[in-house]
Amino acid sequence: MGTMMSRPARGAAYCVASVLAMLAVRATAADAMQAPPQVHPKLWPKLRPALARDPALEARLDSLLARMTPEQKVGQLIQADIGSITPDDLRHYPLGSILNGGNSSPRDDKLAAPSEWLHLADRFYAASLDAPGSLGIPVLWGTDAVHGHNNIPGATIFPHNIGLGAARDPELIRRIAAVTALEVRVTGLDWAFSPTVAVARDARWGRTYESYSESPDLVRRYAAAVVTGLQGKPGTPQFLDAAHVLATPKHFLGDGGTGGRDQGNNPGSERQLRELDAAGYEAAIPAGAQTVMASYSSWQGRKMHGNYELLTRVLKGRMGFDGLVVGDWNGHAQLPGCTPVRCAAALDAGVDVLMAPDGWRELYVNTLAQVRSGEIAATRLDDAVRRVLRVKLRAHLDTEGAPSTRRYAGRYALLGAPQHLELARQAVRESLVLLKNRDHLLPLSPHERVLVAGDGADSIARQSGGWTIDWQGTEPNQDFPHAESIFAGIARVVRAAGGTAELSAAGDFHTRPDVAIVVFGESPYAEYAGDVPTLEYSPGDKHDLALLGRLRAADVPVVAVFLSGRPLWVNAELNAADSFVAAWLPGPQGGALADVLFRAADGRVAYDFRGKLPFSWPRSPRPPRPDGAGGGAGLPGEAPLFPFGYGLTYQDVGYVPRLPEEAAAPAGGG
Ligand code: GLC
């Protein structure tokens, strides 16, 4: 539920969300009967937050809290989606923050110009200061800038996290985050709901591609890099300055360990939760993260949005996090006894800001009543408000002026700037993993006749995946002004060298090509829409395999380029191809793949493969080992086909023996 449907459906979506929430409540009502899972804070790392408490700032918070009305305090704890709140509403409901969900945009127009985003930010800012008795601390606007400023056509969009994990390049990741922050600032926003620091252990999960790796160590290294890139380095003048935005490591805690079911239950032990799932936060908090997003998932049967032990005793207590915890999209409604418009339990557990995209008005009224009745304790209310205001003051929200007056606001040439696009192309090149290269077919000569086939060959949407312009990522090519499809990149390289490049999704040709590059893979998806029951690629539809087979039957050497948000079981496709490249979701600059596949015109290898698997590659379509530790598909003890860290270069012998194409029955027929 990370997004809005189109406006007409918005009301229906709200009803559906409420029904789902009620069902979820019933499903988890039993949870409430269970004793809360035991937590031992001393097991958890005692972290030193990046920012020492600033006595002057804290004194200012004391003064603000003393002056605030209950209405103003409750307003700071509620976040509405721009699809259901107008700037004028802020004059009557003093909400502290707004967001645009994956499908929300100015005028509900996903192709709205960047200037419309900036203008709308100004209007929300002004209205938030117009509220009666305003404290002079304006509203924050959060957005899912998860692989660039990906809601904005023309902004730089990078490979998704899974591909960045393959690059093994924290400095590259930091630079990507810094560019993302800058481009978010151009449009007047100040908060990125990023990075996802899930340690995904079951690739059946629809959000695997938002995870950097199954390796907690890699996630830990990347988390610090992304938070620093987005926010700047704590203690330096750049920290949360006009070129940086608030970061949000998410989703706390354990979203990557739910057995492949989005918003599911993580059954792991406290030690596994600490050693696997908490790795990203261990780095993100000392790096200065000012916000954390709570997870929809449960741990040992208890929804994270209601887990006081982990949100308050561990994250805020033991780990020393003194920023704000924001709930996920109506995530509070999944708690026993809660609905989208009434939920003291999430606030009591330690959520400081309730993400209430549609029901914010009722939630405000109900929460105010719960404060007045004492159902929500004044101490909890003040703690939550203090955290929100602390983050706002650290982000200079009270002094930096209206969005359009800020240093980078309106500098639209920065959106998709050449140097930003080159960084994206570097990320594409570094993300590619070579799994097979029979007889050194790759690198190819650009002087040859090249056929480019497959339904991913010329589709920016398929090479970009979800969270791209809209939530599920379904946009036509024309909506990406700076993009280069994989075919376009190949055509660029080959035609410049005097070769020929022809596109035929079906793989048809008149003159036999010297080589065929078949680009195929998953259709875009986001969140639960991407959950799958098996790791087999496209179980019901083998047209890609048939295409590979036809080309081999015509004795055309075949390079397979696989677009996917996760490793999948593709033994048959691996057998049918001479070379096989895991390209993940490279984004609108996917054409840079050609720079690696082909030699330069003078025969040099300009770019070799350097990507290494961030996730184990499955030997079978069966789900990963139940223990989930360290990824790896198949039955307990069954090694992955290609292990974490695998990846060929042009120097390697890329031979892969013929692989079994029938998923062997589970050992022992179990
Ligand atoms: C979604 C996602 C979360 C996102 C939020 C706002 O449901 O779980 O990652 O930040 O909603 O779009």
Side-chain angles (χ1 to χ4, degrees):
M1 284 171 279
T3 185
M4 307 293 294
M5 270 65 91
S6 65
R7 187 172 296 280
R10 186 161 283 132
Y14 178 44
C15 297
V16 168
S18 305
V19 169
L20 285 174
M22 299 304 287
L23 289 174
V25 164
R26 197 166 300 144
T28 49
D31 299 348
M33 311 307 287
Q34 295 174 358
Q38 279 308 302
V39 163
H40 308 83
K42 292 211 177 340
L43 237 187
W44 296 77
K46 192 167 179 54
L47 304 176
R48 203 160 60 86
L51 296 175
R53 278 295 159 81
D54 173 347
L57 187 146
E58 296 301 314
R60 184 127 182 260
L61 293 176
D62 294 338
S63 160
L64 284 166
L65 277 163
R67 288 161 44 202
M68 290 172 81
T69 63
E71 291 80 358
Q72 289 171 322
K73 291 182 178 179
V74 167
Q76 290 298 317
L77 311 191
I78 293 173
Q79 181 179 87
D81 185 273
I82 62 168
S84 65
I85 190 168
T86 67
D88 191 53
D89 288 327
L90 287 187
R91 292 183 169 88
H92 312 287
Y93 295 88
L95 301 197
S97 63
I98 56 174
L99 84 145
N100 65 280
N103 273 352
S104 295
S105 47
R107 292 182 299 102
D108 203 23
D109 175 2
K110 54 193 162 186
L111 302 183
S115 55
E116 288 198 67
W117 289 77
L118 183 58
H119 179 59
L120 184 59
D122 268 354
R123 291 179 55 215
F124 274 114
Y125 174 92
S128 69
L129 296 179
D130 281 353
S134 161
L135 300 158
I137 299 186
V139 71
L140 274 171
W141 181 342
T143 188
D144 289 285
V146 295
H147 63 140
H149 194 5
N150 38 253
N151 274 97
I152 309 291
T156 307
I157 298 179
F158 297 92
H160 267 296
N161 289 351
I162 189 169
L164 300 182
R168 299 292 202 282
D169 189 345
E171 177 52 18
L172 171 73
I173 306 312
R174 187 198 61 74
R175 292 170 60 207
I176 287 173
V179 164
T180 300
L182 188 62
E183 295 198 13
V184 168
R185 281 296 205 172
V186 167
T187 59
L189 280 60
D190 29 39
W191 183 3
F193 298 140
S194 169
T196 294
V197 293
V199 179
R201 277 104 72 191
D202 186 325
R204 293 176 298 170
W205 187 33
R207 306 194 74 166
T208 298
Y209 68 78
E210 296 184 66
S211 168
Y212 294 111
S213 176
E214 69 186 30
S215 159
D217 291 336
L218 183 54
V219 170
R220 185 180 292 114
R221 280 192 289 137
Y222 271 26
V226 175
V227 168
T228 304
L230 285 172
Q231 295 191 158
K233 193 167 170 42
T236 69
Q238 292 71 38
F239 185 67
L240 292 178
D241 69 359
H244 294 92
V245 295
L246 292 167
T248 317
K250 67 184 183 180
H251 310 76
F252 191 89
L253 182 59
D255 51 347
T258 61
R261 200 163 68 78
D262 190 38
Q263 306 186 18
N265 180 50
N266 182 330
S269 67
E270 184 182 1
R271 181 168 295 282
Q272 273 183 326
L273 203 66
R274 147 93 175 72
E275 292 173 356
L276 293 175
D277 297 296
Y281 302 91
E282 271 182 52
I285 292 167
Q290 290 301 298
T291 85
V292 166
M293 187 178 292
S295 181
Y296 281 120
S297 57
S298 305
W299 176 55
Q300 294 189 2
R302 175 167 288 257
K303 280 284 174 184
M304 274 307 305
H305 276 67
N307 194 315
Y308 174 84
E309 300 285 304
L310 288 171
L311 287 173
T312 298
R313 292 188 65 203
V314 169
L315 175 62
K316 295 178 175 179
R318 182 72 180 172
M319 296 172 87
F321 176 64
D322 69 354
L324 70 87
V325 174
V326 59
D328 205 334
W329 186 276
N330 278 328
H332 55 278
Q334 296 183 3
L335 297 186
C338 285
T339 71
V341 298
R342 183 185 176 80
C343 187
L347 290 167
D348 289 345
V351 175
D352 301 305
V353 176
L354 300 174
M355 190 184 287
D358 302 83
W360 57 269
R361 191 181 273 105
E362 276 186 81
L363 181 64
Y364 170 84
V365 171
N366 291 336
T367 305
L368 190 55
Q370 289 171 315
V371 164
R372 288 195 166 123
S373 72
E375 187 179 346
I376 295 175
T379 51
R380 174 75 268 269
L381 172 68
D382 284 354
D383 173 53
V385 174
R386 176 180 285 271
R387 287 172 176 272
V388 173
L389 296 184
R390 178 183 292 137
V391 170
K392 288 186 172 185
L393 293 182
R394 283 174 172 170
H396 316 297
L397 225 65
D398 56 329
T399 58
E400 65 175 355
S404 60
T405 66
R406 298 166 189 169
R407 184 173 171 192
Y408 295 99
R411 291 178 54 178
Y412 303 118
L414 288 171
L415 299 173
Q419 67 274 27
H420 295 174
L421 297 182
E422 181 46 37
L423 184 65
R425 285 195 287 272
Q426 176 187 344
V428 170
R429 293 191 292 262
E430 293 190 16
S431 68
L432 305 172
V433 181
L434 183 58
L435 297 180
K436 178 180 182 182
N437 192 21
R438 190 205 312 259
D439 302 336
H440 289 285
L441 172 64
L442 295 175
L444 300 172
S445 160
H447 306 291
E448 294 189 326
R449 173 180 293 280
V450 182
L451 172 68
V452 186
D455 42 23
D458 196 37
S459 166
I460 306 302
R462 291 180 81 104
Q463 67 192 48
S464 300
W467 298 104
T468 307
I469 308 297
D470 76 5
W471 182 40
Q472 293 294 325
T474 56
E475 292 310 295
N477 285 6
Q478 64 260 27
D479 290 348
F480 298 90
H482 302 307
E484 184 181 55
S485 73
I486 290 172
F487 167 68
I490 293 168
R492 162 175 54 83
V493 166
V494 169
R495 289 172 184 165
T500 60
E502 288 174 7
L503 172 66
S504 165
D508 300 331
F509 56 83
H510 299 297
T511 308
R512 188 181 173 285
D514 299 308
V515 65
I517 300 171
V518 179
V519 186
F520 69 100
E522 294 191 294
S523 300
Y525 53 80
E527 299 193 55
Y528 45 80
D531 284 4
V532 290
T534 163
L535 290 175
E536 179 178 357
Y537 168 62
S538 189
D541 169 3
K542 297 298 181 183
H543 75 276
D544 301 311
L545 180 59
L547 170 54
L548 293 166
R550 282 200 305 278
L551 290 162
R552 275 187 74 78
D555 206 19
V556 174
V558 176
V559 176
V561 173
F562 187 53
L563 297 174
S564 70
R566 52 195 147 198
L568 288 168
W569 186 63
V570 287
N571 279 11
E573 290 82 0
L574 275 159
N575 286 338
D578 295 284
S579 300
F580 195 102
V581 176
W584 316 111
L585 297 170
Q589 302 308 315
L593 176 137
D595 302 328
V596 180
L597 291 193
F598 289 85
R599 293 177 182 278
D602 62 7
R604 282 178 309 106
V605 171
Y607 299 100
D608 195 347
F609 281 91
R610 51 171 283 174
K612 303 299 177 193
L613 287 181
F615 289 89
S616 313
W617 196 278
R619 173 181 301 277
S620 82
R622 284 188 296 277
R625 293 188 295 265
D627 66 11
L635 296 175
E638 185 175 57
L641 180 64
F642 301 113
F644 169 80
Y646 183 87
L648 300 172
T649 69
Y650 285 144
Q651 285 65 47
D652 296 315
V653 173
Y655 170 72
V656 174
R658 180 167 180 73
L659 301 167
E661 298 190 7
E662 291 306 315

